[in-house]
Amino acid sequence: MPPQPLDTKIIVVGAGLAGIGAGVRLLQMDESDFVIFERAEQLGGTWRDNQYPGCRCDVPSHLYSYSFALNPNWQQTYADQDDIWEYMQATAERFGVVPHIRFSHNVLEAHWDDGGHWVLTTDRGVFQCRYLVSATGSLAEPSTPSIPGAGRFSGATMHSARWDPSQRFDGLRVAVIGTGASAVQIVPSIQPSVAHLSVFQRTPGWVVPHPLRPIRSWERRLYRRFPFIQRLVRAGIYWQREVVVVSAFTKYDGLRGLLERQVRRHLARQVRDPELRARLAPDYQLGCKRALPSNDFYPALCQPNVDLVTEPIARIEPEGILTTDGQLHRFDVIVYATGFYVSDNPMGGRIVGRASHRLAEATSGELPCYLGTTFPYFPNFFMLSGPNTGTGHTSQIFMIECQLNYVLDALEQLEVDSGTVFEVLPSVAMSYTEDLQRRMRGTVWSSGCASWYQNSDGRNVAMWPDYTTVFRRQTRRFDPTDYVFHRAAQPAPSVSAN
Ligand SMILES: Cc1cc2nc3c(=O)[nH]c(=O)nc-3n(C[C@H](O)[C@H](O)[C@H](O)COP(=O)(O)OP(=O)(O)OC[C@H]3O[C@@H](n4cnc5c(N)ncnc54)[C@H](O)[C@@H]3O)c2cc1C
C-alpha cells in the first residue's frame, strides 16, 4: 500500500515575507497545525535570492517591515539586502515560525481532490491539507531572454537573482543586459572595478533621486527606547507616498507632470553629454514602468570605462554580443538583469483547482480573481501577493498584511464548522475584476508603455490601481456572502466562472 500523505490542516508554500508573515499570524491566533514548504535551504525569498552587489530596498526601511515587528536597528533609510534578510531570519526565529518550515521541499504540483483536500506533490513526497496558502512570490522566477547563440558564450553568465558570489569582476570586460531596478543597482557597484562595462538598454527607465542616508546611532537608540516615534515616522512615510505618488499615478496628471519635471532635472544635472542624455530620456509617463531610485547610476554611465548600448542585440557569439549594426562587443562576463516571469510565472500552471482549472488562468484573464486572494474553482485556497496586489510606491508588505488579515479572518470564521469547503462566487470575483480593470484604465499604467506589469494580452495583472487604504478596507473582513459553502466529501456545487 502506498504511504498515506502527511495530513496537515494548513500548508503555506514559500518562506518569503508573505509565508513567514502567514506563519506569525497563524501562531498569534493559536493555530499551530500548519507547515511552510520552502524549496530552498534557507528562508528569505527575494532577499535570499538577490545577492547581487548594491541590492537594496527602494521603499524606506521604516515602512518595509511587518507592522507587528518594527525594526529599530535598520542601518540605512533604505535597507540593503543583507539587513532585510537578517531581519526576516530574526523575525521568523522570534515568533517561533522556523520549526514550522520544511526546507528543501519543492512543491511540484498541487491539486484539489474534491474530497475536501489539497494534495501536494513535492520532491520529498506527497502531502495533503484542508487549506492551501500560496506564498510563492510574484518576483521569484528569474527570466532570461532567449537570445540566439546564448549557450555558445565562452565566458561566465549569471542572472541578477542567481548571483555567483565567487565570480570576480576586477579587470574584466562585463556586459549588463537590462536597465531596470536590478541593473541600476548593479552597474554603479561593479563599474569602479571592471576594465570595461557595456550596459545594454532596450527602454530607458525613469531614474529618480534617491534620499538614501545612514541612520545614525542616536536615531536607532531613540527608536529602541520610544518605539512610538518610529511608528510616527513610518506613518508619515506611508501617508506621504499615498497622497503624493498614488494621486500622481492614478488621479492627477498635473501632479505627475510636476514630478516628471523634477526627475528630468535629475537627469540633466547628472548627465552633461547631450547625446547620452537624449538616449537616457524616457518617452513614456513617469510611473508607467517601475521608477528607479538611484543617485549613482547616471554618474556610473558617464565614466570612461562604461558605454551605453542602445542598438538591439542580434545574437550572442562565443566572444561576446553581436548587435544589429554588425558590431561585436567582446566580454568575459554577461550579467542578465532581465527580471522575472510575472504573469507567466510557471507556478500558476502547477496549482490545479476543481474541474482541472489552473491558477495560471487568473493572470491570463480567463478566470476572475477576488481581492488578489481567492478564485472560483479553487476551494479552500488563498494566494498572497496575488494578481493586482503590486504597488510601485509603497511597501509590498503592507499589501501582504492586508491579505493576511483577510485570510486569518476567513480561517477563524470557517473553523466554526471544520468540515466546510468554501469557494468565491464567480459573480463576485467577476464584478471585482471588472471594476479593478475599469479603474486601471484611468491610471498611468494604462498610458501606453509596455511593462512587466502586463500579461501577453497587454492586460495589467500586477498593479493595484488605487490608494492602498482602499485595499485595506476591502480586505478588513471575510464576508461569507461573497462565497459558496458546502460540506467536504460532497460533490462540489455547480458554479461557473462565466
Ligand atoms: C530585487 C528586488 C527588489 C525588490 N525591492 C522591493 C522594494 O523595495 N519594495 C517592495 O515593496 N518590494 C520589493 N520587491 C518585491 C518583493 O518581492 C516583495 O516585497 C516581497 O519580498 C515578496 O515576498 P513574497 O513572500 O511574496 O515572495 P518571495 O520573497 O519571492 O518568496 C517566495 C518564496 O517561495 C518559495 N517558492 C517558490 N516556489 C516554490 C515552490 N514551488 N515550492 C516551494 N517553495 C517555493 C521561494 O523559494 C521563495 O522563498 C523587490 C523584488 C526584487 C526581486
Side-chain angles (χ1 to χ4, degrees), residues 401-422:
E401 285 199 57
C402 290
Q403 291 188 285
L404 287 175
N405 283 341
Y406 188 78
V407 173
L408 271 287
D409 192 39
L411 290 174
E412 223 158 32
Q413 293 193 38
L414 292 161
E415 262 328 273
V416 176
D417 181 355
S418 61
T420 305
V421 171
F422 76 95

Side-chain angles (χ1 to χ4, degrees), residues 45 51 108 133 173 228 296 343 370 376 378 458 484 498:
Q51 300 201 14
L108 306 171
V133 181
R173 296 182 62 83
F228 75 92
D296 48 12
S343 63
Y370 189 47
F378 288 79
V484 64
N498 300 311

Side-chain angles (χ1 to χ4, degrees), residues 150-325:
R152 293 192 301 136
F153 181 60
S154 60
T157 61
M158 68 183 101
H159 189 281
S160 55
R162 295 290 180 268
W163 200 258
D164 174 2
S166 67
Q167 175 67 50
R168 293 281 154 254
F169 290 90
D170 318 32
L172 299 182
R173 296 182 62 83
V174 181
V176 172
I177 301 180
T179 50
S182 302
V184 301
Q185 297 181 332
I186 294 169
V187 166
S189 307
I190 62 173
Q191 173 273 322
S193 65
V194 301
H196 188 83
L197 178 61
S198 294
V199 180
F200 288 78
Q201 171 184 281
R202 193 169 55 182
T203 318
W206 281 93
V207 178
V208 305
H210 200 334
L212 169 69
R213 68 164 178 84
I215 296 179
R216 296 170 198 97
S217 54
W218 67 262
E219 292 176 277
R220 291 199 292 273
R221 275 200 307 278
L222 190 71
Y223 297 144
R224 277 197 293 271
R225 184 105 196 262
F226 305 107
F228 75 92
I229 295 182
Q230 194 179 20
R231 288 222 174 260
L232 281 178
V233 173
R234 175 182 163 101
I237 297 167
Y238 171 79
W239 283 108
Q240 185 255 337
R241 287 176 165 247
E242 276 307 278
V243 171
V244 179
V245 187
V246 183
S247 300
F249 287 0
T250 66
K251 319 264 180 218
Y252 305 109
D253 288 355
L255 180 57
R256 202 199 52 256
L258 198 73
L259 296 178
E260 279 187 12
R261 281 196 290 283
Q262 282 180 10
V263 181
R264 283 200 194 279
R265 277 202 287 276
H266 181 59
L267 170 62
R269 261 195 313 271
Q270 293 203 317
V271 182
R272 294 289 174 198
D273 172 2
E275 191 267 335
L276 179 60
R277 195 160 66 220
R279 292 197 293 147
L280 288 168
D283 62 357
Y284 55 90
Q285 297 182 11
L286 171 65
C288 189
K289 292 169 183 278
R290 194 174 177 100
L292 313 169
S294 176
N295 295 336
D296 48 12
F297 178 63
Y298 287 150
L301 290 182
C302 297
Q303 298 308 307
N305 66 338
V306 180
D307 62 353
L308 180 73
V309 183
T310 47
E311 202 65 40
I313 294 173
R315 62 173 188 272
I316 295 182
E317 299 286 347
E319 309 82 21
I321 296 177
L322 185 74
T323 44
T324 50
D325 57 359

Side-chain angles (χ1 to χ4, degrees), residues 65-79:
S65 55
Y66 299 112
S67 61
F68 52 78
L70 262 51
N71 178 11
N73 300 318
W74 291 124
Q75 300 291 316
Q76 298 176 78
T77 49
Y78 292 75

